[in-house]
Amino acid sequence: MSEPIIISIGGGKGGVGKSTISSNLGAALVRHGYSVGYIDADLGGANLHTCLGMRRPARTLHNFLTGEYKSLVDVAVETPVPKSWLISGAGEFLELANPNFAQKQKILNGIKTLEADYILVDLGAGSHTIVSDFFAAFPHSITVTDCLPTSVENAYGFLKSGIFRGLIRLFPGRDDIQKLLKAYTSPKTDKNAPTLDNMFAQLRVKCPEEVETMREWLDSRKLFLVLNMVRGQEEIAVGEGFTGIVQKYLSVSLRYIGYLVYTPEIRMSLRSLGPAVVQNNRQVAECFDAITRNLVALAR
Ligand SMILES: Nc1ncnc2c1ncn2[C@@H]1O[C@H](COP(=O)(O)OP(=O)(O)OP(=O)(O)O)[C@@H](O)[C@H]1O
Ligand SMILES: [Mg+2]
Protein backbone atom coordinates (compact mmCIF):
# COMPACT_ATOMS: atom_id res chain seq x y z
CA MET A 1 0.00 0.00 0.00
CA SER A 2 1.33 3.46 -0.87
CA GLU A 3 1.58 6.31 1.65
CA PRO A 4 -1.84 7.53 2.75
CA ILE A 5 -2.98 10.91 1.54
CA ILE A 6 -3.93 12.75 4.71
CA ILE A 7 -6.41 15.57 4.12
CA SER A 8 -7.61 18.02 6.75
CA ILE A 9 -11.14 19.33 6.25
CA GLY A 10 -11.83 22.73 7.75
CA GLY A 11 -13.49 26.02 7.01
CA GLY A 12 -13.53 28.39 9.90
CA LYS A 13 -17.23 28.88 10.38
CA GLY A 14 -19.30 26.44 12.43
CA GLY A 15 -22.07 24.52 10.73
CA VAL A 16 -20.95 24.99 7.12
CA GLY A 17 -20.85 21.24 6.60
CA LYS A 18 -17.27 20.15 7.35
CA SER A 19 -18.40 16.88 8.97
CA THR A 20 -21.09 16.27 6.33
CA ILE A 21 -18.51 16.68 3.56
CA SER A 22 -16.01 14.48 5.46
CA SER A 23 -18.43 11.59 6.01
CA ASN A 24 -19.88 11.63 2.51
CA LEU A 25 -16.57 12.22 0.74
CA GLY A 26 -15.15 9.18 2.55
CA ALA A 27 -18.07 7.08 1.33
CA ALA A 28 -17.57 8.39 -2.21
CA LEU A 29 -13.84 7.53 -2.11
CA VAL A 30 -14.80 3.98 -1.03
CA ARG A 31 -17.27 3.75 -3.95
CA HIS A 32 -14.34 4.71 -6.19
CA GLY A 33 -12.30 1.79 -4.82
CA TYR A 34 -10.17 3.43 -2.10
CA SER A 35 -9.89 2.59 1.60
CA VAL A 36 -10.60 5.43 3.98
CA GLY A 37 -9.76 6.47 7.53
CA TYR A 38 -11.72 9.14 9.37
CA ILE A 39 -10.25 11.17 12.20
CA ASP A 40 -12.48 13.41 14.25
CA ALA A 41 -10.11 16.19 15.27
CA ASP A 42 -12.94 18.38 16.57
CA LEU A 43 -11.72 17.58 20.06
CA GLY A 44 -14.20 19.80 21.89
CA GLY A 45 -17.28 18.88 19.87
CA ALA A 46 -16.65 15.51 18.27
CA ASN A 47 -19.67 14.34 16.28
CA LEU A 48 -18.32 12.72 13.15
CA HIS A 49 -19.47 9.33 14.50
CA THR A 50 -23.07 10.65 14.38
CA CYS A 51 -22.56 11.78 10.77
CA LEU A 52 -21.45 8.22 10.03
CA GLY A 53 -24.54 6.77 11.69
CA MET A 54 -22.76 5.48 14.81
CA ARG A 55 -23.18 5.88 18.53
CA ARG A 56 -20.15 7.29 20.37
CA PRO A 57 -17.39 4.71 19.94
CA ALA A 58 -16.17 2.87 23.05
CA ARG A 59 -12.58 3.94 22.32
CA THR A 60 -11.61 7.52 21.40
CA LEU A 61 -8.56 9.76 21.20
CA HIS A 62 -8.99 10.27 24.94
CA ASN A 63 -8.00 6.65 25.61
CA PHE A 64 -4.94 7.10 23.42
CA LEU A 65 -3.85 10.30 25.13
CA THR A 66 -4.27 8.82 28.61
CA GLY A 67 -1.95 5.98 27.57
CA GLU A 68 -4.63 3.30 27.99
CA TYR A 69 -3.92 2.32 24.39
CA LYS A 70 -0.34 2.58 23.17
CA SER A 71 -0.89 3.01 19.43
CA LEU A 72 -3.34 5.29 17.72
CA VAL A 73 -4.52 2.40 15.53
CA ASP A 74 -5.79 0.64 18.68
CA VAL A 75 -8.53 3.24 19.14
CA ALA A 76 -9.75 2.97 15.53
CA VAL A 77 -13.21 1.42 15.13
CA GLU A 78 -15.09 0.14 12.08
CA THR A 79 -17.79 2.38 10.61
CA PRO A 80 -20.97 1.54 8.64
CA VAL A 81 -19.08 2.71 5.53
CA PRO A 82 -17.32 -0.40 4.18
CA LYS A 83 -13.50 -0.37 4.01
CA SER A 84 -13.27 2.49 6.50
CA TRP A 85 -12.33 3.13 10.11
CA LEU A 86 -12.88 6.01 12.50
CA ILE A 87 -10.81 7.49 15.27
CA SER A 88 -13.25 9.52 17.27
CA GLY A 89 -12.52 12.81 19.03
CA ALA A 90 -12.77 12.96 22.77
CA GLY A 91 -15.96 15.01 22.86
CA GLU A 92 -16.97 14.91 26.50
CA PHE A 93 -13.48 15.35 27.96
CA LEU A 94 -13.29 19.10 28.14
CA GLU A 95 -9.67 19.16 29.26
CA LEU A 96 -8.78 17.73 25.86
CA ALA A 97 -10.61 20.36 23.84
CA ASN A 98 -7.36 22.31 24.06
CA PRO A 99 -4.60 19.74 24.20
CA ASN A 100 -1.10 20.85 25.14
CA PHE A 101 1.82 20.77 22.71
CA ALA A 102 2.95 17.25 23.66
CA GLN A 103 -0.57 15.82 23.35
CA LYS A 104 -1.06 17.46 19.95
CA GLN A 105 2.28 16.15 18.76
CA LYS A 106 1.41 12.66 19.98
CA ILE A 107 -1.78 12.69 17.90
CA LEU A 108 -0.06 14.16 14.81
CA ASN A 109 2.77 11.62 14.96
CA GLY A 110 0.23 8.84 15.52
CA ILE A 111 -1.75 9.86 12.43
CA LYS A 112 1.36 9.43 10.28
CA THR A 113 1.55 5.73 11.28
CA LEU A 114 -2.00 4.86 10.17
CA GLU A 115 -2.93 2.94 7.03
CA ALA A 116 -5.58 3.75 4.41
CA ASP A 117 -5.52 5.21 0.91
CA TYR A 118 -7.09 8.43 2.17
CA ILE A 119 -7.26 9.71 5.75
CA LEU A 120 -9.80 12.50 6.26
CA VAL A 121 -9.21 14.70 9.31
CA ASP A 122 -12.39 16.58 10.26
CA LEU A 123 -11.43 19.85 11.97
CA GLY A 124 -13.39 21.89 14.46
CA ALA A 125 -14.81 25.34 13.77
CA GLY A 126 -12.85 28.55 14.28
CA SER A 127 -9.22 29.36 13.68
CA HIS A 128 -7.83 28.34 17.09
CA THR A 129 -4.27 27.09 17.38
CA ILE A 130 -5.36 23.45 17.50
CA VAL A 131 -7.24 23.89 14.19
CA SER A 132 -4.33 25.75 12.57
CA ASP A 133 -1.84 23.15 13.83
CA PHE A 134 -3.77 20.30 12.25
CA PHE A 135 -4.15 22.30 9.03
CA ALA A 136 -0.44 23.06 8.92
CA ALA A 137 0.69 19.52 9.73
CA PHE A 138 -0.47 17.98 6.43
CA PRO A 139 0.06 19.38 2.93
CA HIS A 140 -3.45 18.46 1.76
CA SER A 141 -6.46 20.37 2.98
CA ILE A 142 -10.05 20.93 1.87
CA THR A 143 -11.69 24.22 2.83
CA VAL A 144 -15.46 23.98 3.08
CA THR A 145 -17.67 27.05 2.96
CA ASP A 146 -21.20 27.94 2.04
CA CYS A 147 -21.70 30.91 -0.24
CA LEU A 148 -22.58 33.58 2.34
CA PRO A 149 -20.06 36.44 2.63
CA THR A 150 -19.64 35.83 6.37
CA SER A 151 -18.71 32.19 5.79
CA VAL A 152 -16.29 33.07 3.00
CA GLU A 153 -14.65 35.62 5.29
CA ASN A 154 -14.22 32.97 7.99
CA ALA A 155 -12.86 30.51 5.44
CA TYR A 156 -10.25 33.11 4.48
CA GLY A 157 -9.39 33.60 8.16
CA PHE A 158 -9.03 29.83 8.57
CA LEU A 159 -6.59 29.63 5.65
CA LYS A 160 -4.61 32.67 6.73
CA SER A 161 -4.24 31.47 10.34
CA GLY A 162 -3.30 27.98 9.16
CA ILE A 163 -0.70 29.28 6.72
CA PHE A 164 0.92 31.59 9.28
CA ARG A 165 0.89 28.77 11.83
CA GLY A 166 2.63 26.56 9.27
CA LEU A 167 5.24 29.24 8.49
CA ILE A 168 5.92 29.81 12.20
CA ARG A 169 6.26 26.05 12.82
CA LEU A 170 9.04 25.94 10.20
CA PHE A 171 11.32 27.78 12.64
CA PRO A 172 11.19 26.13 16.07
CA GLY A 173 13.34 28.00 18.57
CA ARG A 174 13.82 30.97 16.22
CA ASP A 175 12.17 33.72 18.26
CA ASP A 176 13.38 36.40 15.81
CA ILE A 177 11.59 34.93 12.77
CA GLN A 178 8.54 33.91 14.79
CA LYS A 179 8.18 37.46 16.07
CA LEU A 180 8.48 38.94 12.59
CA LEU A 181 5.85 36.55 11.25
CA LYS A 182 3.48 37.20 14.14
CA ALA A 183 3.76 40.93 13.51
CA TYR A 184 2.35 40.41 10.03
CA THR A 185 -0.85 38.95 11.40
CA SER A 186 -1.64 42.16 13.28
CA PRO A 187 -4.02 44.52 11.43
CA LYS A 188 -1.47 47.37 11.60
CA THR A 189 1.32 45.56 9.76
CA ASP A 190 -1.29 44.02 7.51
CA LYS A 191 -1.78 47.47 5.96
CA ASN A 192 1.92 47.85 5.06
CA ALA A 193 2.09 44.40 3.55
CA PRO A 194 -1.42 43.43 2.51
CA THR A 195 -0.28 40.35 0.59
CA LEU A 196 2.02 37.50 1.51
CA ASP A 197 4.17 38.40 -1.50
CA ASN A 198 4.63 41.90 -0.02
CA MET A 199 5.63 40.31 3.26
CA PHE A 200 8.15 38.00 1.58
CA ALA A 201 9.64 40.98 -0.28
CA GLN A 202 10.10 42.87 2.99
CA LEU A 203 11.50 39.88 4.87
CA ARG A 204 13.85 38.91 2.06
CA VAL A 205 16.04 41.90 2.92
CA LYS A 206 16.73 40.53 6.41
CA CYS A 207 16.46 36.79 5.93
CA PRO A 208 16.50 35.59 2.32
CA GLU A 209 17.14 31.92 3.12
CA GLU A 210 14.26 31.71 5.55
CA VAL A 211 11.95 33.31 3.01
CA GLU A 212 13.04 30.65 0.52
CA THR A 213 12.10 27.95 3.06
CA MET A 214 8.70 29.61 3.56
CA ARG A 215 8.09 29.83 -0.19
CA GLU A 216 8.92 26.12 -0.60
CA TRP A 217 6.54 25.18 2.21
CA LEU A 218 3.76 27.24 0.61
CA ASP A 219 4.41 25.72 -2.81
CA SER A 220 4.14 22.21 -1.35
CA ARG A 221 0.56 22.87 -0.13
CA LYS A 222 -2.30 21.19 -1.98
CA LEU A 223 -5.30 23.24 -1.02
CA PHE A 224 -8.79 22.51 -2.30
CA LEU A 225 -12.11 24.30 -2.04
CA VAL A 226 -15.57 22.72 -1.78
CA LEU A 227 -18.68 24.89 -1.76
CA ASN A 228 -21.59 23.61 0.29
CA MET A 229 -25.33 24.28 0.43
CA VAL A 230 -25.29 25.57 -3.12
CA ARG A 231 -28.78 26.62 -4.21
CA GLY A 232 -28.14 27.85 -7.72
CA GLN A 233 -25.61 28.04 -10.52
CA GLU A 234 -24.82 31.70 -9.75
CA GLU A 235 -23.48 30.75 -6.29
CA ILE A 236 -20.66 28.75 -7.85
CA ALA A 237 -19.08 32.05 -8.94
CA VAL A 238 -18.39 32.69 -5.24
CA GLY A 239 -15.85 29.86 -5.41
CA GLU A 240 -13.99 31.40 -8.31
CA GLY A 241 -13.92 34.79 -6.62
CA PHE A 242 -12.59 33.25 -3.43
CA THR A 243 -9.79 31.26 -5.08
CA GLY A 244 -8.70 34.52 -6.78
CA ILE A 245 -8.56 36.36 -3.44
CA VAL A 246 -6.56 33.56 -1.82
CA GLN A 247 -4.07 33.57 -4.69
CA LYS A 248 -3.68 37.34 -4.52
CA TYR A 249 -3.41 37.81 -0.75
CA LEU A 250 -2.04 34.48 0.49
CA SER A 251 0.07 33.72 -2.54
CA VAL A 252 -1.06 30.10 -2.71
CA SER A 253 -3.19 28.17 -5.14
CA LEU A 254 -6.60 27.07 -3.82
CA ARG A 255 -8.17 24.67 -6.32
CA TYR A 256 -11.94 24.58 -6.55
CA ILE A 257 -12.93 20.89 -6.80
CA GLY A 258 -16.71 21.01 -6.65
CA TYR A 259 -19.86 21.71 -4.70
CA LEU A 260 -22.63 20.03 -2.76
CA VAL A 261 -26.18 21.16 -3.39
CA TYR A 262 -28.43 22.26 -0.54
CA THR A 263 -30.90 19.45 0.16
CA PRO A 264 -33.12 18.88 3.22
CA GLU A 265 -32.39 15.15 2.86
CA ILE A 266 -28.93 15.71 4.34
CA ARG A 267 -30.44 17.14 7.51
CA MET A 268 -33.02 14.38 7.67
CA SER A 269 -30.44 11.63 7.30
CA LEU A 270 -28.79 12.93 10.49
CA ARG A 271 -32.02 12.76 12.45
CA SER A 272 -32.72 9.15 11.57
CA LEU A 273 -29.38 8.08 13.11
CA GLY A 274 -28.92 5.86 10.11
CA PRO A 275 -25.75 6.56 8.21
CA ALA A 276 -25.93 10.26 7.43
CA VAL A 277 -24.04 9.32 4.33
CA VAL A 278 -26.61 9.93 1.62
CA GLN A 279 -26.50 6.98 -0.78
CA ASN A 280 -29.78 7.18 -2.65
CA ASN A 281 -29.95 10.77 -3.80
CA ARG A 282 -28.72 11.00 -7.37
CA GLN A 283 -27.90 14.70 -7.22
CA VAL A 284 -25.85 14.30 -4.02
CA ALA A 285 -24.04 11.25 -5.41
CA GLU A 286 -23.16 13.18 -8.57
CA CYS A 287 -21.78 16.07 -6.53
CA PHE A 288 -19.53 13.74 -4.52
CA ASP A 289 -18.46 11.77 -7.60
CA ALA A 290 -17.31 15.01 -9.23
CA ILE A 291 -15.48 16.14 -6.06
CA THR A 292 -13.84 12.71 -5.74
CA ARG A 293 -12.68 12.60 -9.36
CA ASN A 294 -11.13 16.06 -9.07
CA LEU A 295 -9.56 15.29 -5.71
CA VAL A 296 -8.03 11.99 -6.83
CA ALA A 297 -6.68 13.61 -10.00
CA LEU A 298 -5.08 16.53 -8.14
CA ALA A 299 -4.03 15.02 -4.82
CA ARG A 300 -0.97 12.93 -5.81
N1 LIG B 1 -25.69 20.49 1.61
C1 LIG B 1 -26.46 20.54 2.69
N2 LIG B 1 -27.79 20.66 2.59
C2 LIG B 1 -28.59 20.71 3.68
N3 LIG B 1 -28.13 20.63 4.93
C3 LIG B 1 -26.81 20.51 5.12
C4 LIG B 1 -25.90 20.45 4.01
N4 LIG B 1 -24.65 20.31 4.51
C5 LIG B 1 -24.76 20.28 5.85
N5 LIG B 1 -26.06 20.40 6.23
C6 LIG B 1 -26.59 20.42 7.59
O1 LIG B 1 -26.01 21.51 8.28
C7 LIG B 1 -25.75 21.16 9.63
C8 LIG B 1 -24.26 21.37 9.95
O2 LIG B 1 -23.50 20.44 9.22
P1 LIG B 1 -22.14 19.83 9.78
O3 LIG B 1 -22.33 19.30 11.14
O4 LIG B 1 -21.63 18.93 8.74
O5 LIG B 1 -21.29 21.17 9.84
P2 LIG B 1 -19.85 21.38 10.51
O6 LIG B 1 -19.20 22.44 9.70
O7 LIG B 1 -19.14 20.10 10.66
O8 LIG B 1 -20.29 21.95 11.93
P3 LIG B 1 -19.34 22.15 13.24
O9 LIG B 1 -18.64 23.45 12.99
O10 LIG B 1 -20.32 22.22 14.34
O11 LIG B 1 -18.41 20.99 13.30
C9 LIG B 1 -26.19 19.71 9.80
O12 LIG B 1 -27.49 19.69 10.32
C10 LIG B 1 -26.20 19.19 8.38
O13 LIG B 1 -27.14 18.16 8.19
MG1 LIG C 1 -18.24 19.21 12.37
Side-chain angles (χ1 to χ4, degrees):
M1 188 184 269
S2 52
E3 286 259 300
I5 294 181
I6 306 171
I7 308 174
S8 67
I9 299 181
K13 183 136 166 217
V16 290
K18 300 176 290 295
S19 303
T20 302
I21 300 286
S22 301
S23 56
N24 284 277
L25 175 60
L29 281 162
V30 168
R31 281 204 301 278
H32 284 241
Y34 300 100
S35 60
V36 167
Y38 295 101
I39 295 181
D40 194 343
D42 188 350
L43 300 184
N47 61 13
L48 187 57
H49 56 280
T50 310
C51 294
L52 289 164
M54 301 162 71
R55 301 200 178 279
R56 174 171 290 286
R59 307 185 294 277
T60 72
L61 275 174
H62 181 255
N63 307 98
F64 171 63
L65 289 176
T66 56
E68 235 171 295
Y69 291 89
K70 291 286 167 252
S71 309
L72 191 50
V73 69
D74 297 336
V75 294
V77 296
E78 277 182 21
T79 91
V81 176
K83 279 172 58 183
S84 79
W85 50 257
L86 164 71
I87 293 175
S88 180
E92 76 272 39
F93 298 97
L94 275 182
E95 79 272 18
L96 289 177
N98 254 321
N100 63 33
F101 181 81
Q103 289 173 319
K104 243 180 326 204
Q105 219 43 50
K106 188 173 171 186
I107 298 173
L108 290 174
N109 292 338
I111 292 176
K112 290 174 188 159
T113 66
L114 298 168
E115 286 183 11
D117 294 320
Y118 287 86
I119 297 178
L120 305 179
V121 185
D122 183 21
L123 301 180
S127 306
H128 311 292
T129 322
I130 168 85
V131 174
S132 303
D133 274 333
F134 274 80
F135 166 87
F138 311 109
H140 295 81
S141 183
I142 295 176
T143 301
V144 177
T145 180
D146 62 33
C147 300
L148 295 170
T150 43
S151 312
V152 174
E153 203 176 328
N154 287 11
Y156 179 81
F158 158 75
L159 281 169
K160 184 173 176 182
S161 311
I163 286 171
F164 271 87
R165 188 74 192 148
L167 296 178
I168 286 170
R169 282 168 58 113
L170 288 174
F171 305 100
R174 287 286 305 275
D175 287 352
D176 54 335
I177 304 277
Q178 295 198 4
K179 230 169 144 183
L180 282 173
L181 282 170
K182 277 183 190 148
Y184 280 98
T185 57
S186 86
K188 205 168 134 224
T189 324
D190 222 25
K191 286 207 184 78
N192 304 330
T195 74
L196 221 65
D197 276 338
N198 295 147
M199 181 187 88
F200 286 153
Q202 289 179 9
L203 289 180
R204 215 170 255 124
V205 181
K206 276 194 201 153
C207 38
E209 272 172 35
E210 287 82 353
V211 170
E212 211 40 54
T213 308
M214 293 183 211
R215 191 63 263 178
E216 272 168 26
W217 182 85
L218 256 190
D219 291 342
S220 69
R221 301 294 95 186
K222 293 206 178 215
L223 307 182
F224 305 112
L225 173 67
V226 170
L227 293 178
N228 191 16
M229 309 196 194
V230 167
R231 290 164 197 256
Q233 199 62 30
E234 69 287 353
E235 289 195 336
I236 294 169
V238 170
E240 276 158 30
F242 184 49
T243 57
I245 287 172
V246 168
Q247 181 70 58
K248 178 174 173 194
Y249 287 96
L250 298 177
S251 190
V252 70
S253 154
L254 175 70
R255 309 284 289 269
Y256 169 67
I257 55 167
Y259 66 90
L260 172 60
V261 290
Y262 177 86
T263 156
E265 214 173 303
I266 290 185
R267 248 167 224 282
M268 270 147 41
S269 65
L270 261 189
R271 245 185 242 143
S272 65
L273 206 92
V277 172
V278 181
Q279 302 277 22
N280 304 321
N281 179 315
R282 200 173 57 99
Q283 217 187 357
V284 171
E286 280 173 6
C287 287
F288 279 105
D289 281 342
I291 294 169
T292 302
R293 274 195 303 274
N294 288 331
L295 178 70
V296 168
L298 295 169
R300 287 243 179 241

